[in-house]
Amino acid sequence: MNRRTLLSSCTGLAAAMALGPLAPVAVARPGQAEPVRFRLPAPNGPYPVGTVALHLADTARPDPWVPSRPCRELMISIWYPARGGAARPAVPWMPPAAADRYLGLVGVPPGRVLLGDTHGHEGAPVGGPSGPLPVVLYSPGANASRSFGTGVVEDLASHGFLVVTVDHTYDAAAVAFPGGRVETNPLGGVSDYAKALAVRTADIRFVLDRLAVLRSGGHPGVRPTPLPTGLRGALDLRRVGMFGHSLGGATTAATMHTDGRIIAGTSLDGGAAGPVVGAGLDRPFLVVDTPGKGGMENDPALRAFWSHLRGWRLHLTVRGAAHQSFGDDALILPLIAPLLGMSPTDLEDEVGTIPGHRAQAFQRAYPRAFFDLHLRGRGRLLDGPSPDFPEVAYAR
């Protein structure tokens, strides 16, 4: 759940992730090896993907991390099935200004690794199935960015979901705002998790409020960013789900406890904290963990939360996975580990022994199966163990 120690380390995931969000141009110097190039596998749904980034401001809430800021500002991205978007530019995996700052924070020079663009076309018209689309919110791990879930998010969009990813400003390592301003974590990383959970819960509830403004015909953002054609009519706010990785998973549970608008939630190797541990939930919830230290076997709070779930519930354990197997890290880290001098043991501690393509296959299949079931009422993957995923253990 904690990226703070990783961000302060010269090896391990912090350096690895710093190498990931790359500066916009990488030129090899004489004698320097060519940069390693990475691009996420294409989503496998039937629809192309569109996306738009929006700047939001909660003027009723001073920023809890930086009191001198009179309001709480967030950046979100909306991902959706598109039509006719091939002529529009694909957005980068992380905004270049945030990527540059992220590199500087960890002391890694630019130009060593190139992460290509996403498969999301900026501002493309909304397409996909007819009628409003089910909405899914995504919250990343502590000290992470909304970019780290892009592989799962754009695959969901390619299958007809509208997905909203949220950067929790001053919790995330670096957030780029319009005009080139970049905000970083003033403390160098999250350490007060109770506060972070409360702030994130308020963030998600505010995002839901702004989505309601968008659905009713208003503009949700600070600036009049052009909205993709068809976006307003594409949100079905009666069918809202949420998922997150690590602290984002705990945020999903905590937000569902305080806000009934979210009707189904998934936690990818996240814990549970706050009132929801004892109160539980009466709506569908999927707990995904690993056999390691963060799993339910070794987390009393997560076991207590599980015992108080009163709605549909499922606990999946992914054999061979580790904490960073749930996100784009699972593919990025093995690619760049040699550049970091990471030993096989170091790498295994981060991403486990599960092959990257299997980690990616799980990420794409199971969250979508959960939201298909509980937001669309279809699908059978979650009925029981699947021969297509022998590494996944089921418990109810």
Side-chain angles (χ1 to χ4, degrees):
M1 186 181 290
N2 186 0
R3 280 181 187 258
R4 185 179 182 220
T5 55
L6 298 170
L7 282 168
S8 63
S9 173
C10 293
T11 61
L13 184 64
M17 286 294 90
L19 283 168
L22 194 70
V25 177
V27 179
R29 302 182 188 88
Q32 179 181 326
E34 288 292 322
V36 173
R37 298 175 184 273
F38 173 82
R39 193 182 188 201
L40 285 169
N44 61 20
Y47 307 112
V49 177
T51 186
V52 63
L54 296 175
H55 175 197
L56 309 183
D58 185 353
T59 57
R61 183 169 48 131
D63 194 279
W65 296 111
V66 181
S68 61
R69 290 280 180 187
C71 66
R72 176 69 170 160
E73 294 180 272
L74 302 172
M75 288 299 299
I76 67 170
S77 290
I78 301 178
W79 302 76
Y80 51 87
R83 59 178 173 83
R88 294 175 179 264
V91 301
W93 185 81
M94 178 180 274
D100 287 344
R101 184 65 64 86
Y102 202 179
L103 285 169
L105 285 172
V106 296
V108 177
R112 298 299 305 278
V113 176
L114 281 176
L115 282 172
D117 292 335
T118 70
H119 300 90
H121 296 277
E122 187 170 14
V126 176
S130 60
L133 306 172
V135 174
V136 176
L137 301 162
Y138 171 72
S139 178
N143 306 308
S145 160
R146 70 190 196 273
S147 299
F148 293 130
T150 299
V152 181
V153 165
E154 58 181 22
D155 197 70
L156 282 168
S158 78
H159 285 274
F161 291 91
L162 188 149
V163 188
V164 182
T165 63
V166 182
D167 261 342
H168 300 283
T169 314
Y170 305 120
D171 172 335
V175 183
F177 287 91
R181 175 167 62 97
V182 177
E183 299 293 349
T184 60
N185 190 309
L187 301 177
V190 173
S191 58
D192 187 341
Y193 288 103
K195 178 177 178 178
L197 197 60
V199 173
R200 283 164 163 253
T201 298
D203 287 348
I204 297 297
R205 300 188 71 185
F206 172 68
V207 169
L208 282 169
D209 291 343
R210 300 314 295 169
L211 293 178
V213 169
L214 172 60
R215 183 68 180 87
S216 64
H219 196 293
V222 174
R223 299 184 181 185
T225 304
L227 298 175
T229 301
L231 184 62
R232 286 195 173 96
L235 293 97
D236 186 347
L237 296 180
R238 298 167 301 175
R239 294 186 292 164
V240 178
M242 182 175 172
F243 76 111
H245 173 234
S246 193
L247 184 58
T251 302
T252 300
T255 308
M256 288 181 68
H257 175 63
T258 61
D259 200 315
R261 289 176 290 183
I262 302 170
I263 64 174
T266 292
S267 173
L268 300 176
D269 214 29
V276 73
V277 172
L281 296 169
D282 59 1
R283 282 154 285 156
F285 203 89
L286 172 63
V287 173
V288 178
D289 69 0
T290 67
K293 63 182 181 181
M296 194 181 300
E297 181 180 348
N298 300 304
D299 187 339
L302 188 58
R303 290 198 302 272
F305 167 69
W306 171 259
S307 73
H308 292 119
L309 291 175
R310 302 179 301 283
W312 184 100
R313 68 177 192 174
L314 180 62
H315 171 211
L316 302 178
T317 300
V318 185
R319 302 184 189 96
H323 191 56
Q324 303 303 338
S325 298
F326 304 104
D328 299 347
D329 312 33
L331 295 180
I332 298 169
L333 256 179
L335 181 70
I336 64 176
L339 301 178
L340 305 173
M342 291 179 70
S343 70
T345 300
D346 291 336
L347 181 60
E348 185 176 312
D349 286 344
E350 302 294 351
V351 298
T353 58
I354 187 172
H357 72 280
R358 294 302 301 168
Q360 188 77 2
F362 172 87
Q363 291 180 55
R364 294 188 171 195
Y366 279 84
R368 175 161 52 88
F370 176 80
F371 293 121
D372 266 340
L373 179 63
H374 295 293
L375 301 184
R376 287 174 165 161
R378 68 192 194 195
R380 303 298 300 273
L381 178 60
L382 301 183
D383 288 354
S386 167
D388 294 331
F389 293 92
E391 58 273 87
V392 180
Y394 285 61
R396 298 206 181 260

